[in-house]
Amino acid sequence: MSKALLANLLITWLLLPYAAAFLGALLPRLARWFALLSGLVTLVVGAWCLMGGSAALDLIGPLGVLLRVDGLAAPFLLLNALVLLAVLAERWRRLPEGPFLVLLPLLLGGLNATAVAVDLVSLYVALEVVGITAFLLILRNRDAGQLWIALRYLLVGNSVMTLYLVGVALLYLQSGSFRFSALAALPPADPARAVILALVLVGLFTKGGLFLSGLWLPQTHAEAPADVSALLSGMAVAGGLCPLLRLAEQLPFLQPLLAWLGLASAVLGLVYALMESDLKRLLAWSTLSQVGLVVIHPPVVVWSPWPTVWPRPPCSCWRAICRAAGSRAGAGGPCPSAWPCPCCWPRSRSPGRRRCWASAARRPCSQRRCRRHPSCRASRPAGCRPC
Amino acid sequence: MLPSLDPFRLLEALVMLTVFVGFLGLVARRNLFLRTLALDVMGTGSVALFVLVAARSGLRTPVLERDGVAGGLGWADPIPQGVMLTAIVIGLSIQALVLVVLTRLSRHDPLLDKASFEDLDALLRRGGA
């Protein structure tokens, strides 16, 4: 497939939910089919990413919108599509009143954009789309409780996003760009970097519902209508997490911080869930806990190990295993090397048991170990024969 | 002795002060309407920061004109201005939504005191409504 065609297809995919919402408002009879279509297309794109497909879209020049559809976005896209389809299936026969079928694709569109955006301004717009749509979804019955919860959701979300925007402006002041990579490229000693990072991270933590900044989450999710709280817990929270993981990929020093915050969030959610008697609130606390688990160990959640994080591979065995497991990291990127190598570990522990390969050139037997594979003797190197 | 004061730094400090004042109002005020106003002050601060960042390279609006260049002013940076327009639109729509909700909530408590809605919170938590 040519690159231009792929880019056009992906842009169509990104715009499809918005078109579905618009057409759904015009043709209410077909609205559920449009929503279904946008969910299915997202499912297909997520599966394509999971299979190793990736594309970088650079729209409107070097300062424009940068999108990256890759393996890191894949679980989030699949999650969006599955939750949307599940909620749609649950509500297929008895639709709630109000513009539910218009808001559903809008939420999907915003979340797809947060999963693939790699610049901070696109991310801001996408997160605000998610926030406004979620606000409107919560307001279904318009009783006082829902109004108050929705108002609080919007106030909290918008105030942290304003702080985020201040961070974005400071980043532009420092580096003249809105990219995640520009944030990573700031000199570490620069005090502005800490300020920018703090402002941006406050926005993402709160949107993602992590630890203390996620304490707004349980009551909001519990008070919303049941299908909407499924959408909020399953999809809307992930809108803050995927950019967080992308940032941690660019800035490796954030990973210990994220791991600790994730652990604290997991434990906090767990403890409160154990003490809770209301079932919906229990599920909401469980969401807080699961969010913590998502950020603790991204390689578990994200299909491919992060290529930039892992150090160089020690031997070819890992690469073979990675390839066998279907991971993209085996296809040329480095493999995880922190773990002992399973195929050469017993042999490397006792040098005497190493397989010895003599090179074709006649050399003394002590030097006959093939230099090309210094630690791993699992396979016979080309041009060598057994000792 | 005062250090030589860069006008850009001074304006930046004032803008940050605006954002901070807005944030303080958002946290400290009990009246929900005043909180909404504080949110707007914060939004104004962030927009002003973008305008300030854009004005570093010049003051002229980056819109193409038919006539020639007027004066010796440079162009303002169009990128932060574009972002700022988006932020203004989003901020405006959120303000509108918040005000609609406040109108509905004022039927419950005309004073819009936060505490009365937190009572509602407690009521909801106990399972009644």
Side-chain angles (χ1 to χ4, degrees):
Chain A
M1 201 188 303
S2 75
K3 212 170 172 182
L5 178 63
L6 183 65
N8 282 337
L9 280 179
L10 286 174
I11 291 171
T12 314
W13 158 67
L14 276 175
L15 292 181
L16 186 68
Y18 300 107
F22 186 68
L23 291 175
L26 290 182
L27 308 166
R29 287 179 178 217
L30 294 177
R32 64 187 84 185
W33 295 102
F34 289 134
L36 182 69
L37 178 70
S38 54
L40 286 178
V41 172
T42 305
L43 197 64
V44 169
V45 174
W48 174 72
C49 290
L50 202 62
M51 308 286 251
S54 70
L57 304 182
D58 206 346
L59 310 179
I60 340 175
L63 282 167
V65 176
L66 183 65
L67 305 172
R68 188 159 297 147
V69 188
D70 56 7
L72 205 146
F76 294 96
L77 296 180
L78 284 177
L79 186 72
N80 289 348
L82 289 177
V83 174
L84 180 103
L85 292 176
V87 169
L88 205 58
E90 204 261 337
R91 283 284 171 184
W92 190 264
R93 288 283 166 209
R94 40 193 184 90
L95 282 174
E97 286 181 23
F100 179 68
L101 283 177
V102 176
L103 296 175
L104 207 56
L106 275 184
L107 187 70
L108 180 73
L111 283 165
N112 284 348
T114 58
V116 299
V118 200
D119 69 305
L120 290 165
V121 172
S122 318
L123 183 62
Y124 167 75
V125 176
L127 281 176
E128 288 289 20
V129 168
V130 172
I132 293 177
T133 319
F135 164 82
L136 292 174
L137 276 170
I138 295 172
L139 280 180
R140 179 175 298 157
N141 303 331
R142 303 191 184 85
D143 58 20
Q146 280 184 0
L147 281 169
W148 163 240
I149 291 295
L151 177 74
R152 208 180 54 170
Y153 179 78
L154 202 61
L155 281 180
V156 169
N158 195 41
S159 52
V160 292
M161 286 321 278
T162 309
L163 292 179
Y164 171 96
L165 206 57
V166 170
V168 173
L170 290 179
L171 175 67
Y172 191 82
L173 192 63
Q174 292 290 321
S175 66
S177 167
F178 293 124
R179 300 276 159 87
F180 284 4
S181 51
L183 185 52
L186 287 179
D190 195 352
R193 184 173 91 150
V195 176
I196 295 168
L197 262 182
L199 289 169
V200 168
L201 286 183
V202 161
L204 293 183
F205 284 164
T206 311
K207 281 282 174 184
L210 199 65
F211 195 43
L212 292 181
S213 48
L215 287 181
W216 58 270
L217 187 147
Q219 196 164 4
T220 311
H221 288 200
E223 191 51 39
D227 49 344
V228 175
S229 45
L231 288 172
L232 289 177
S233 291
M235 293 166 72
V237 159
L241 294 181
C242 187
L244 209 55
L245 295 187
R246 280 195 192 280
L247 263 185
E249 187 191 23
Q250 298 267 343
L251 300 157
F253 70 90
L254 280 182
Q255 284 168 22
L257 173 75
L258 277 187
W260 281 110
L261 272 177
L263 193 65
S265 185
V267 172
L268 183 83
L270 193 68
V271 168
Y272 271 93
L274 285 176
M275 296 194 302
E276 194 57 62
S277 58
D278 180 341
L279 203 57
K280 274 179 88 179
R281 287 177 69 85
L282 187 147
L283 283 174
W285 281 115
S286 156
T287 304
L288 194 73
S289 166
Q290 303 302 316
V291 162
L293 293 182
V294 169
V295 298
I296 281 178
H297 203 219
V300 177
V301 182
V302 177
W303 181 254
S304 59
W306 295 355
T308 51
V309 175
W310 301 109
R312 285 186 61 77
C315 69
S316 57
C317 319
W318 268 121
R319 227 170 289 155
I321 290 167
C322 290
R323 205 174 293 134
S327 159
R328 285 186 311 119
C335 276
S337 74
W339 316 321
C341 174
C343 57
C344 56
W345 179 65
R347 297 192 191 93
S348 58
R349 286 288 289 269
S350 52
R353 284 173 57 203
R354 275 185 179 178
R355 289 291 293 275
C356 174
W357 299 100
S359 65
R362 292 184 181 178
R363 269 187 257 164
C365 196
S366 59
Q367 294 178 6
R368 273 178 196 164
R369 283 188 190 135
C370 188
R371 299 251 166 88
R372 293 175 54 193
H373 297 79
S375 65
C376 178
R377 306 270 171 251
S379 62
R380 179 177 165 175
C384 297
R385 57 185 170 76
C387 240
Chain B
M1 200 178 89
L2 277 172
S4 62
L5 203 53
D6 184 2
F8 182 81
R9 288 284 159 209
L10 179 66
L11 283 173
E12 193 188 7
L14 286 176
V15 165
M16 288 300 179
L17 191 68
T18 312
V19 174
F20 183 68
V21 164
F23 187 69
L24 214 60
L26 197 67
V27 174
R29 286 285 171 185
R30 287 182 58 192
N31 186 311
L32 287 178
F33 185 69
L34 290 180
R35 282 195 173 205
T36 312
L37 284 185
L39 191 67
D40 199 31
V41 171
M42 248 177 107
T44 308
S46 72
V47 167
L49 185 60
F50 271 100
V51 174
L52 188 66
V53 169
R56 266 190 318 168
S57 59
L59 291 175
R60 285 182 62 209
T61 316
V63 177
L64 280 183
E65 294 168 12
R66 212 144 36 129
D67 307 334
V69 179
L73 294 171
W75 298 101
D77 190 348
I79 306 277
Q81 294 210 336
V83 172
M84 174 199 70
L85 277 181
T86 319
I88 289 177
V89 171
I90 291 176
L92 174 78
S93 45
I94 286 183
Q95 288 284 328
L97 287 173
V98 169
L99 287 177
V100 169
V101 171
L102 281 185
T103 323
R104 297 293 291 255
L105 277 180
S106 65
R107 291 179 198 169
H108 192 266
D109 174 19
L111 290 177
L112 287 174
D113 191 354
K114 180 169 155 276
S116 65
F117 297 107
E118 276 168 354
D119 289 351
L120 192 72
D121 255 15
L123 200 70
L124 289 169
R125 202 173 306 152
R126 284 199 302 271

